[in-house]
Amino acid sequence: MTDPVYRTILLFDIEQYGSRDDVEQAFLRRVLYDVVDTTLLTADVDETARLRADRGDSVMELIDTAVPVPNLVKTLLTETPALLHNKNRLLADSARMRLRIVLSSGYVAVDELDGWVGSDLNHAVRLLNSDPLRDALKQREADCVLCVSDGIYKGVVRHGPLGVRPEEFHQATVETKEGPTVAWVHGEPGTHGGSPEAAAGSAAPAPEAAGSRHNDTRIKGDQYGQTGGTLHGGQHFDFTGRARDER
Protein backbone atom coordinates (compact mmCIF):
# COMPACT_ATOMS: atom_id res chain seq x y z
CA MET A 1 0.00 0.00 0.00
CA THR A 2 1.24 3.49 -0.83
CA ASP A 3 1.84 6.10 1.83
CA PRO A 4 -1.23 8.26 2.47
CA VAL A 5 -1.24 11.57 0.60
CA TYR A 6 -3.38 14.62 1.28
CA ARG A 7 -5.91 15.29 -1.49
CA THR A 8 -9.10 17.19 -2.18
CA ILE A 9 -11.90 14.61 -2.40
CA LEU A 10 -14.75 15.19 -4.85
CA LEU A 11 -17.69 12.76 -5.05
CA PHE A 12 -20.69 12.62 -7.40
CA ASP A 13 -23.65 10.25 -7.01
CA ILE A 14 -26.70 9.77 -9.29
CA GLU A 15 -30.10 9.94 -7.61
CA GLN A 16 -32.43 6.94 -8.14
CA TYR A 17 -29.83 5.12 -10.25
CA GLY A 18 -30.98 1.68 -9.10
CA SER A 19 -34.54 2.28 -10.31
CA ARG A 20 -33.40 2.66 -13.96
CA ASP A 21 -33.03 -0.17 -16.46
CA ASP A 22 -29.66 -1.18 -17.94
CA VAL A 23 -29.96 1.05 -21.00
CA GLU A 24 -30.82 4.10 -18.91
CA GLN A 25 -28.01 3.37 -16.45
CA ALA A 26 -25.45 3.14 -19.26
CA PHE A 27 -26.70 6.44 -20.67
CA LEU A 28 -26.59 8.15 -17.27
CA ARG A 29 -23.01 7.01 -16.72
CA ARG A 30 -21.95 8.62 -20.00
CA VAL A 31 -23.69 11.85 -19.02
CA LEU A 32 -22.09 11.72 -15.55
CA TYR A 33 -18.60 11.36 -17.01
CA ASP A 34 -19.23 14.28 -19.34
CA VAL A 35 -20.48 16.50 -16.49
CA VAL A 36 -17.56 15.61 -14.20
CA ASP A 37 -14.92 16.06 -16.91
CA THR A 38 -16.35 19.41 -18.02
CA THR A 39 -16.66 20.60 -14.42
CA LEU A 40 -13.02 19.84 -13.67
CA LEU A 41 -11.85 21.31 -16.97
CA THR A 42 -13.72 24.53 -16.15
CA ALA A 43 -12.05 24.59 -12.72
CA ASP A 44 -8.63 24.34 -14.44
CA VAL A 45 -7.93 20.85 -13.09
CA ASP A 46 -5.35 19.21 -15.34
CA GLU A 47 -5.63 15.51 -16.17
CA THR A 48 -2.34 14.91 -14.36
CA ALA A 49 -3.70 16.50 -11.18
CA ARG A 50 -6.62 14.10 -10.68
CA LEU A 51 -7.24 10.41 -10.09
CA ARG A 52 -10.64 8.81 -10.70
CA ALA A 53 -12.42 5.80 -9.25
CA ASP A 54 -15.65 4.53 -10.82
CA ARG A 55 -18.34 3.12 -8.52
CA GLY A 56 -21.13 2.54 -11.05
CA ASP A 57 -23.68 5.09 -9.91
CA SER A 58 -20.99 7.39 -8.54
CA VAL A 59 -17.59 8.83 -9.40
CA MET A 60 -14.81 9.69 -6.95
CA GLU A 61 -12.02 12.12 -7.80
CA LEU A 62 -8.81 12.69 -5.85
CA ILE A 63 -7.49 16.13 -6.80
CA ASP A 64 -4.00 17.48 -6.18
CA THR A 65 -3.81 20.14 -3.50
CA ALA A 66 -2.15 22.50 -6.01
CA VAL A 67 -5.64 23.06 -7.45
CA PRO A 68 -7.28 25.97 -5.57
CA VAL A 69 -10.32 24.78 -3.62
CA PRO A 70 -12.18 28.11 -4.12
CA ASN A 71 -12.12 27.44 -7.87
CA LEU A 72 -13.71 24.04 -7.30
CA VAL A 73 -16.42 25.39 -5.00
CA LYS A 74 -17.34 28.21 -7.39
CA THR A 75 -17.46 25.85 -10.38
CA LEU A 76 -19.61 23.31 -8.53
CA LEU A 77 -22.07 26.07 -7.60
CA THR A 78 -22.30 27.64 -11.06
CA GLU A 79 -21.05 25.56 -13.99
CA THR A 80 -22.15 22.12 -12.78
CA PRO A 81 -25.84 23.08 -12.32
CA ALA A 82 -25.78 24.81 -15.71
CA LEU A 83 -24.31 21.72 -17.38
CA LEU A 84 -26.95 19.47 -15.84
CA HIS A 85 -29.76 21.83 -16.79
CA ASN A 86 -28.64 22.00 -20.41
CA LYS A 87 -28.52 18.21 -20.64
CA ASN A 88 -31.74 17.48 -18.75
CA ARG A 89 -33.83 19.99 -20.69
CA LEU A 90 -33.41 17.79 -23.78
CA LEU A 91 -34.26 14.53 -22.01
CA ALA A 92 -37.42 12.74 -21.00
CA ASP A 93 -38.22 12.70 -17.29
CA SER A 94 -37.20 9.04 -17.07
CA ALA A 95 -33.70 9.90 -18.31
CA ARG A 96 -33.22 13.02 -16.18
CA MET A 97 -30.09 12.95 -14.04
CA ARG A 98 -29.85 14.59 -10.62
CA LEU A 99 -26.68 14.54 -8.53
CA ARG A 100 -25.57 14.65 -4.92
CA ILE A 101 -22.09 16.19 -4.72
CA VAL A 102 -19.62 16.22 -1.84
CA LEU A 103 -16.39 18.21 -1.58
CA SER A 104 -14.06 17.20 1.21
CA SER A 105 -10.35 16.65 1.86
CA GLY A 106 -8.01 14.34 3.72
CA TYR A 107 -5.42 11.60 3.54
CA VAL A 108 -5.94 8.70 1.13
CA ALA A 109 -3.72 5.71 0.32
CA VAL A 110 -3.88 3.28 -2.62
CA ASP A 111 -3.59 -0.44 -1.81
CA GLU A 112 -2.10 -3.26 -3.89
CA LEU A 113 -5.48 -3.83 -5.58
CA ASP A 114 -5.71 -0.16 -6.64
CA GLY A 115 -8.36 0.41 -4.00
CA TRP A 116 -8.56 3.66 -2.07
CA VAL A 117 -8.12 3.50 1.70
CA GLY A 118 -8.52 6.14 4.38
CA SER A 119 -10.84 7.28 7.15
CA ASP A 120 -11.11 10.73 5.53
CA LEU A 121 -12.41 9.10 2.35
CA ASN A 122 -14.86 7.03 4.39
CA HIS A 123 -16.08 10.24 6.03
CA ALA A 124 -16.70 11.85 2.61
CA VAL A 125 -18.68 8.81 1.48
CA ARG A 126 -20.78 8.99 4.66
CA LEU A 127 -21.68 12.57 3.74
CA LEU A 128 -22.56 11.55 0.18
CA ASN A 129 -25.00 8.89 1.41
CA SER A 130 -26.37 10.88 4.36
CA ASP A 131 -30.06 11.59 4.90
CA PRO A 132 -29.61 15.39 5.08
CA LEU A 133 -28.06 15.46 1.61
CA ARG A 134 -30.58 13.01 0.13
CA ASP A 135 -33.44 15.00 1.63
CA ALA A 136 -32.00 18.29 0.38
CA LEU A 137 -32.04 17.03 -3.22
CA LYS A 138 -35.46 15.43 -2.83
CA GLN A 139 -36.99 18.64 -1.48
CA ARG A 140 -35.92 20.92 -4.30
CA GLU A 141 -36.35 21.19 -8.06
CA ALA A 142 -32.66 21.81 -8.78
CA ASP A 143 -30.67 19.16 -10.66
CA CYS A 144 -27.95 18.89 -8.01
CA VAL A 145 -27.04 19.76 -4.44
CA LEU A 146 -23.59 20.40 -2.99
CA CYS A 147 -22.37 19.42 0.47
CA VAL A 148 -18.96 20.43 1.83
CA SER A 149 -17.18 19.02 4.83
CA ASP A 150 -16.73 21.09 7.97
CA GLY A 151 -13.05 21.51 7.11
CA ILE A 152 -13.79 22.85 3.62
CA TYR A 153 -16.43 25.21 5.00
CA LYS A 154 -14.24 26.61 7.79
CA GLY A 155 -11.10 26.78 5.67
CA VAL A 156 -12.59 28.15 2.44
CA VAL A 157 -16.33 28.77 2.19
CA ARG A 158 -16.87 30.86 5.32
CA HIS A 159 -14.29 33.39 4.12
CA GLY A 160 -16.43 34.18 1.09
CA PRO A 161 -14.01 33.82 -1.83
CA LEU A 162 -15.09 35.41 -5.11
CA GLY A 163 -18.29 33.77 -6.36
CA VAL A 164 -19.02 31.92 -3.10
CA ARG A 165 -21.56 33.15 -0.54
CA PRO A 166 -21.20 31.42 2.86
CA GLU A 167 -24.68 32.54 3.95
CA GLU A 168 -26.15 30.27 1.27
CA PHE A 169 -24.90 27.19 3.16
CA HIS A 170 -26.60 25.73 6.21
CA GLN A 171 -25.16 23.42 8.83
CA ALA A 172 -26.37 19.82 8.99
CA THR A 173 -25.66 17.08 11.52
CA VAL A 174 -24.89 13.76 9.87
CA GLU A 175 -25.19 10.55 11.86
CA THR A 176 -22.41 8.11 10.97
CA LYS A 177 -21.11 4.81 12.30
CA GLU A 178 -18.38 6.78 14.03
CA GLY A 179 -20.87 9.18 15.62
CA PRO A 180 -22.45 12.49 14.60
CA THR A 181 -20.46 14.84 12.37
CA VAL A 182 -21.03 18.31 10.93
CA ALA A 183 -21.44 19.11 7.24
CA TRP A 184 -22.61 22.15 5.28
CA VAL A 185 -25.28 21.90 2.59
CA HIS A 186 -25.82 24.58 -0.04
CA GLY A 187 -29.31 26.06 -0.10
CA GLU A 188 -31.83 26.86 2.58
CA PRO A 189 -33.06 23.87 4.63
CA GLY A 190 -36.45 22.58 3.55
CA THR A 191 -36.79 24.80 0.47
CA HIS A 192 -38.08 23.70 -2.93
CA GLY A 193 -35.79 24.93 -5.65
CA GLY A 194 -34.53 27.87 -3.64
CA SER A 195 -36.88 30.35 -5.33
CA PRO A 196 -38.19 33.39 -3.44
CA GLU A 197 -41.75 32.22 -4.10
CA ALA A 198 -41.06 28.81 -2.59
CA ALA A 199 -39.36 30.37 0.41
CA ALA A 200 -42.33 32.67 0.96
CA GLY A 201 -44.73 29.74 0.69
CA SER A 202 -42.82 27.78 3.34
CA ALA A 203 -42.52 30.67 5.79
CA ALA A 204 -44.40 30.38 9.08
CA PRO A 205 -47.63 32.43 9.14
CA ALA A 206 -47.85 35.50 11.34
CA PRO A 207 -49.92 35.20 14.53
CA GLU A 208 -53.58 36.15 14.06
CA ALA A 209 -55.81 38.09 16.36
CA ALA A 210 -58.42 36.02 18.20
CA GLY A 211 -61.31 37.59 16.28
CA SER A 212 -59.79 36.84 12.89
CA ARG A 213 -59.13 33.14 13.37
CA HIS A 214 -60.81 30.81 10.93
CA ASN A 215 -60.60 27.22 9.72
CA ASP A 216 -59.99 26.10 6.15
CA THR A 217 -62.33 23.36 4.95
CA ARG A 218 -61.45 21.04 2.08
CA ILE A 219 -64.64 20.07 0.26
CA LYS A 220 -63.40 17.79 -2.50
CA GLY A 221 -60.24 17.57 -4.61
CA ASP A 222 -58.70 21.05 -4.86
CA GLN A 223 -61.75 22.97 -3.57
CA TYR A 224 -61.25 24.86 -0.35
CA GLY A 225 -63.33 27.25 1.73
CA GLN A 226 -63.51 28.99 5.09
CA THR A 227 -65.59 28.06 8.11
CA GLY A 228 -65.96 30.16 11.24
CA GLY A 229 -64.54 33.55 12.18
CA THR A 230 -64.49 36.76 10.20
CA LEU A 231 -62.60 37.02 6.91
CA HIS A 232 -60.49 40.13 6.33
CA GLY A 233 -58.99 40.52 2.81
CA GLY A 234 -58.65 37.78 0.20
CA GLN A 235 -57.95 34.10 0.53
CA HIS A 236 -54.85 32.38 -0.80
CA PHE A 237 -54.10 28.66 -0.99
CA ASP A 238 -50.76 27.31 -2.16
CA PHE A 239 -50.79 24.02 -4.04
CA THR A 240 -47.22 24.21 -5.31
CA GLY A 241 -45.40 22.23 -2.61
CA ARG A 242 -45.60 18.75 -4.12
CA ALA A 243 -43.22 16.40 -2.31
CA ARG A 244 -41.23 13.73 -4.03
CA ASP A 245 -41.84 10.18 -2.86
CA GLU A 246 -38.56 8.67 -4.03
CA ARG A 247 -34.98 9.48 -3.23
Side-chain angles (χ1 to χ4, degrees):
M1 186 171 67
T2 65
D3 291 331
V5 293
Y6 197 85
R7 290 290 184 265
T8 300
I9 302 170
L10 179 59
L11 311 178
F12 297 81
D13 188 90
I14 302 174
E15 181 188 52
Q16 297 179 1
Y17 183 81
S19 65
R20 320 295 180 93
D21 62 35
D22 291 349
V23 174
E24 291 172 337
Q25 289 184 4
F27 174 77
L28 289 175
R29 282 171 47 80
R30 291 194 298 270
V31 175
L32 175 62
Y33 265 58
D34 188 30
V35 168
V36 174
D37 289 340
T38 305
T39 293
L40 295 181
L41 181 63
T42 304
D44 295 325
V45 181
D46 190 81
E47 287 284 347
T48 61
R50 50 186 281 212
L51 181 64
R52 169 176 292 172
D54 189 317
R55 293 296 181 266
D57 62 344
S58 62
V59 164
M60 301 193 297
E61 296 276 352
L62 295 183
I63 302 172
D64 194 279
T65 53
V67 176
V69 174
N71 285 3
L72 286 169
V73 177
K74 179 181 177 180
T75 303
L76 291 168
L77 292 175
T78 56
E79 296 299 326
T80 306
L83 286 168
L84 278 170
H85 174 74
N86 287 337
K87 291 182 179 299
N88 284 332
R89 64 192 291 265
L90 302 176
L91 302 175
D93 288 343
S94 62
R96 183 185 180 195
M97 185 174 73
R98 305 177 77 221
L99 296 176
R100 300 191 307 278
I101 306 172
V102 165
L103 185 63
S104 186
S105 60
Y107 285 94
V108 182
V110 180
D111 65 18
E112 60 276 6
L113 300 177
D114 290 330
W116 295 2
V117 180
S119 58
D120 293 327
L121 177 62
N122 295 341
H123 177 264
V125 174
R126 300 275 194 272
L127 300 185
L128 186 69
N129 295 321
S130 67
D131 287 338
L133 190 57
R134 290 180 181 273
D135 291 341
L137 184 58
K138 182 179 67 173
Q139 292 168 356
R140 63 188 67 179
E141 295 297 328
D143 294 315
C144 61
V145 61
L146 173 65
C147 172
V148 300
S149 66
D150 195 42
I152 293 290
Y153 180 84
K154 290 180 177 178
V156 177
V157 173
R158 77 178 182 92
H159 301 289
L162 183 64
V164 178
R165 297 182 177 181
E167 66 272 14
E168 293 181 350
F169 287 78
H170 68 272
Q171 182 175 315
T173 300
V174 176
E175 298 295 335
T176 71
K177 295 179 180 179
E178 296 78 24
T181 188
V182 172
W184 296 83
V185 180
H186 185 256
E188 291 296 325
T191 61
H192 297 259
S195 66
E197 295 82 0
S202 61
E208 295 181 293
S212 64
R213 292 176 183 170
H214 63 273
N215 299 318
D216 297 328
T217 301
R218 180 165 185 166
I219 302 171
K220 182 178 181 182
D222 289 338
Q223 302 179 56
Y224 285 76
Q226 176 191 322
T227 57
T230 303
L231 173 64
H232 298 281
Q235 299 186 69
H236 171 70
F237 300 99
D238 184 3
F239 306 111
T240 61
R242 184 182 63 181
R244 295 179 180 275
D245 294 328
E246 299 180 2
R247 290 184 175 178

